[in-house]
Amino acid sequence: MLRKYSTSRTLSENIRLGILTAFSAGMVNVAALIIFFSFASNVTGHYAILAAEIAKGNWYQALVVFLWIFMFFFGSFSSNFIVINYNKVSPYIAHATPIVMEIICLMAVGIYGQFFYRETLVETEALLALMLFAMGLQNGLTASISNGAVKTTHLTGATTDLGILASMLLRSEYRRNEEMVGKAKLISLIALFYVAGAVISGFVYFRIGFQLFYLVSAFLVVVIFYDAYEIRFRKFLAHEHNKRKRSVFAVSAASNTEDSES
Amino acid sequence: MVALIQMKSMFAFIALSLGVVSASVLGIASTNGTDKQIVGNWVEIDWVYEKVDAYENYDDAEKKQVPEFIKQSIGEQLIIHEAETWHFMPDGRLLLQKEDGEEELQWRIKGRGHILQLKHDNNVIETFEIAGIDKENMYLHLETEVQVRGIAKLIFKRI
């Protein structure tokens, strides 16, 4: 899910990455809306609010919204910075690091919210900034390693692409285009899992409160360890295969020696 | 040489980013947020219903009342305040002075400072959108379901 980069990624790898991260983003966004009355994973609305607050002369609110947008931007910057600079050292570590950072941010929100949150405005603004940074990290990473194919924290672009694809897939010659069908499948699944995460978050928050963020972190841990497990599993398979090959070779070599001696 | 330039631009960008964040935080800290502006005493002076023009059969007196079916869609938890004095304390307490006595609530500001939440002792939570606030006036919109948002506008004057 995280090891491969850009065009070397397969559709199924993008789908696995897309659905898990979209599910997490949907959960985070709805949690932010319920708890803090603001979105944490999509910034288009924040741009509109920024403009409106500037026009109304509400400088405090304009600065807060500007900071939130900047945190999303900085999250995306950090992700891609890590990917392009450490990809040669280890693609897996370069791609997993932004997810680890995201988990740290979301766990911090969960722990602070559960034990220390007194519902002051400053706390609300700071926790939202942290969540927007986390979502920027996630979106920057998925977009960066999938060459822009997977963007999971907001659905404006995805809905646009889906509309375009749907109109194209009405023609039979495009329906035979596997790449186009695959893209439609990927975007539809991202949208579906984003909404599923959002709906589940809405239900779960009222039962477990801020502990919801531990659940989101758990999904992200799956994203990280899926690849780690796969790498170890493949290494194990390769090791077993080599061992079997060596033993077959040793048996055949021994029988050859016996044949030549006789 | 190229690596050195890359390092320099990286540090320059990070320094710039930290500068932007610090400047924003300083700007936010030096400006009064809604949680500071709201502290003090306010008296309700008017209620305006923005969407009543959709109900043209109502006369002026009826327009001052929220129609029953809208009340139902807003929810049973809605508590209509009228002709009250609101004392917002800095510690998060709100004293509502009514004709028949006094009620103590908790107030919280959420979002970017645009949401006012009032918590009653019986766990009822009322949510308003702060449409505007300055030294003299405060405008609250009832923040409920999206389809009925903006129906009731409460106007306050600082006393």
Side-chain angles (χ1 to χ4, degrees), chain B residues 47-55 63-67 70 129 131 139-142 146-155:
Chain B
W47 272 73
V48 181
Y49 303 113
E50 285 189 335
K51 289 187 182 172
V52 280
D53 52 355
Y55 315 106
K63 281 180 184 177
K64 281 282 176 187
Q65 300 291 321
V66 178
I70 292 177
E129 183 182 341
Y139 304 90
L140 298 182
H141 289 187
L142 269 180
V146 175
Q147 65 269 26
V148 291
R149 183 178 293 175
I151 283 177
K153 199 197 283 184
L154 286 83
I155 303 169

Side-chain angles (χ1 to χ4, degrees), chain A residues 35-37 49 53 60-61 63-68 70 73-74 77 81 117-119 121 124, chain B residues 10 13 17 20-21 24 27-28 31 33-35 108-115 117 119 127:
Chain A
I35 308 168
F36 304 120
F37 289 85
I49 290 166
E53 297 296 5
Y60 178 90
Q61 298 188 358
L63 276 170
V64 169
V65 177
F66 170 76
L67 189 65
W68 288 346
F70 185 81
F73 159 83
F74 196 64
F77 163 83
F81 181 82
Y117 184 49
R118 289 178 298 116
E119 296 187 71
L121 184 58
T124 300
Chain B
M10 183 189 86
F13 184 83
S17 299
V20 169
V21 172
S24 304
I28 291 166
T31 317
T34 320
D35 56 338
R108 298 283 183 267
I109 302 288
K110 297 283 179 87
R112 56 183 188 279
H114 71 300
I115 299 290
Q117 259 194 351
K119 289 185 184 176
T127 308

